[in-house]
Amino acid sequence: MSMLETSGRKGNAGLGADAGFRRFRRLRRSEALRGLVAETRLDPRDFIYPLFVRHGDGIRDEISSMPGQYQVSLDQLVREADDLKAVGVRAVLLFGLPAQKDEVGSEAYDDQGIVQQAVRALKRLDPSLVVITDVCLCDYTSHGHCGVLDGEEILNDESVELLARTSVSLAAAGADIIAPSDMMDGRVAGIRSALDGAGFAGLPIMAYAAKFASAFYGPFREAADSAPQFGDRRGYQMDPANGRQAMAEIEQDIVEGADIVMVKPALPYLDLVRAARERFDLPLAAYNVSGEYSMLKAAVANGWLEERRAVLEALTGIKRAGADMIITYHAKEAARWLA
Ligand code: PBG
């Protein structure tokens, strides 16, 4: 650091307090000063790392649309648990690729399902890890929709029943948090009452409360093999145009018993992260989704962005907007950089 920066005596051309402006730069003179006045800090303990688990042995397949992310078999979870512990990330969000898909997503609520097995394995490897399970049918249904069908109609209440059944099965496997992402109406109430009835009254629900029908889930659909086989998700996920309705969705999930609420995606919806923060007192999660991750990775691969700075800036923005926790594929790397 130069004399000029440390002494503060030079370079002010004689302008005094009456110069008619404030010298904001006084507190930007060094890393330590900037650290003192930083309003937002990233902490690996706020990160949730998504994991894709699949059947088989010795599998660690990179997801081509999400460089640096993998589909892993159960035996490879050791490595994940070790990595996460080493960098201080203490929560994961599990997604599963079933052995077989069918009309009603049977493996989602099978006690021997891939996610049920992964929960047991992870809790055995690291009991202090917070294991969150995404609850939805789209990974498990042959048609790729988040609920069950009558013709081409996605049935609401029948789907909620299966989501509740899935939740109880995951609770029994040892999940720490149940996270419904399907966007059926009334699913938080349905899941809450099923969990309570099965002796899991103490288990929290993280509701994907304001989840938008977003193009930014594109890369994930390859990761989870969950693209709908006809139509799209606009009949149940939210219209990106609607901010007031997002507040209504969040409020309803809280009424139904959610313990943590979520805005998803994160970066194009930071106004709603902020609005939810101001309006509700529950813990707030933001999901920095696959497309947000892959866009950045692609730009980095082209040499257009400096990865470390861009990632930390994006995550800081999400935190500054008001998120308490961030679900992000950058979690491991960001945590390493923050150490
Ligand atoms: C399942 C689900 C999706 C995501 C999380 N849970 C896909 C979707 O709704 O289409 C997206 C996550 C991401 O893009 O990173 N319903």
Side-chain angles (χ1 to χ4, degrees):
M1 187 171 297
S2 71
M3 275 296 290
L4 202 96
E5 269 189 293
T6 49
S7 76
R9 293 216 183 106
K10 292 191 185 155
N12 286 338
L15 291 173
D18 56 355
F21 56 86
R22 278 170 67 183
R23 295 197 182 275
F24 290 104
R25 292 178 55 195
R26 284 173 187 142
L27 298 177
R28 293 177 195 151
R29 300 170 67 86
S30 72
E31 192 62 40
L33 265 175
R34 291 190 290 270
L36 277 177
V37 300
E39 299 171 25
T40 309
R41 268 184 237 286
L42 291 174
D43 186 324
R45 288 174 297 184
D46 299 331
F47 297 158
I48 299 167
Y49 184 63
L51 274 176
F52 300 96
V53 287
R54 61 177 308 152
H55 294 276
D57 211 42
I59 296 171
R60 188 174 159 82
D61 284 350
E62 189 165 25
I63 299 156
S64 67
S65 57
M66 301 177 70
Q69 304 303 315
Y70 300 82
Q71 294 177 346
V72 299
S73 52
L74 295 174
D75 56 300
Q76 299 295 311
L77 286 173
V78 191
R79 179 167 166 188
E80 296 295 336
D82 288 348
D83 283 358
L84 292 164
K85 195 160 210 172
V87 298
V89 173
R90 303 311 299 137
V92 292
L93 175 63
L94 294 183
F95 295 97
L97 292 108
Q100 235 138 44
K101 297 177 190 260
D102 60 29
E103 283 281 305
V104 291
S106 305
E107 195 179 316
Y109 37 92
D110 181 338
D111 292 340
Q112 294 309 315
I114 186 64
V115 173
Q116 284 82 351
Q117 293 189 50
V119 171
R120 289 191 287 265
L122 280 169
K123 293 304 286 188
R124 220 170 17 243
L125 288 164
D126 183 356
S128 67
L129 185 71
V130 176
V131 176
I132 309 171
T133 51
D134 183 274
V135 170
C136 194
L137 297 180
C138 62
D139 303 357
Y140 304 91
T141 50
S142 43
H143 45 78
H145 278 287
C146 302
V148 284
L149 305 181
D150 177 14
E152 296 214 338
E153 193 196 340
I154 291 102
L155 300 173
N156 193 85
D157 301 11
E158 292 78 354
S159 300
V160 169
E161 259 173 56
L162 294 181
L163 295 161
R165 194 164 150 193
T166 302
S167 302
V168 170
S169 165
L170 294 165
D176 294 298
I177 300 181
I178 300 295
S181 69
D182 54 284
M183 289 303 277
M184 298 300 126
D185 291 322
R187 92 270 208 216
V188 174
I191 290 171
R192 183 72 272 160
S193 97
L195 288 175
D196 292 354
F200 298 106
L203 201 64
I205 295 175
M206 172 195 273
Y208 285 66
K211 175 172 175 178
F212 290 87
S214 174
F216 292 94
Y217 307 153
F220 173 95
R221 302 217 172 135
E222 182 195 320
D225 185 27
S226 66
Q229 298 305 300
F230 66 88
D232 54 45
R233 304 212 200 291
R234 284 181 287 188
Y236 40 105
Q237 298 179 349
M238 292 188 63
D239 183 337
N242 296 344
R244 287 193 303 272
Q245 192 182 82
M247 297 303 112
E249 285 273 6
I250 295 171
E251 189 166 8
Q252 179 59 29
D253 281 3
I254 293 173
V255 167
E256 291 181 28
D259 300 281
I260 300 170
V261 289
M262 190 196 300
V263 172
K264 178 190 176 189
L267 294 172
Y269 298 86
L270 291 185
D271 56 329
L272 303 182
V273 173
R274 164 56 48 190
R277 166 74 303 140
E278 285 172 0
R279 191 146 157 178
F280 305 108
D281 292 328
L282 288 189
L284 177 63
Y287 199 142
N288 178 222
V289 301
S290 59
E292 300 172 50
Y293 171 85
S294 299
M295 272 197 304
L296 214 143
K297 281 283 178 185
V300 168
N302 273 295
W304 297 335
L305 285 177
E306 198 184 314
E307 182 165 27
R308 178 177 170 151
R309 288 187 56 206
V311 168
L312 293 178
E313 182 176 334
L315 296 176
T316 299
I318 296 169
K319 191 101 188 272
R320 191 192 60 241
D324 298 301
M325 61 199 96
I326 306 173
I327 303 166
T328 179
Y329 304 96
H330 298 294
K332 274 193 201 170
E333 276 177 314
R336 214 172 287 125
W337 294 327
L338 291 169

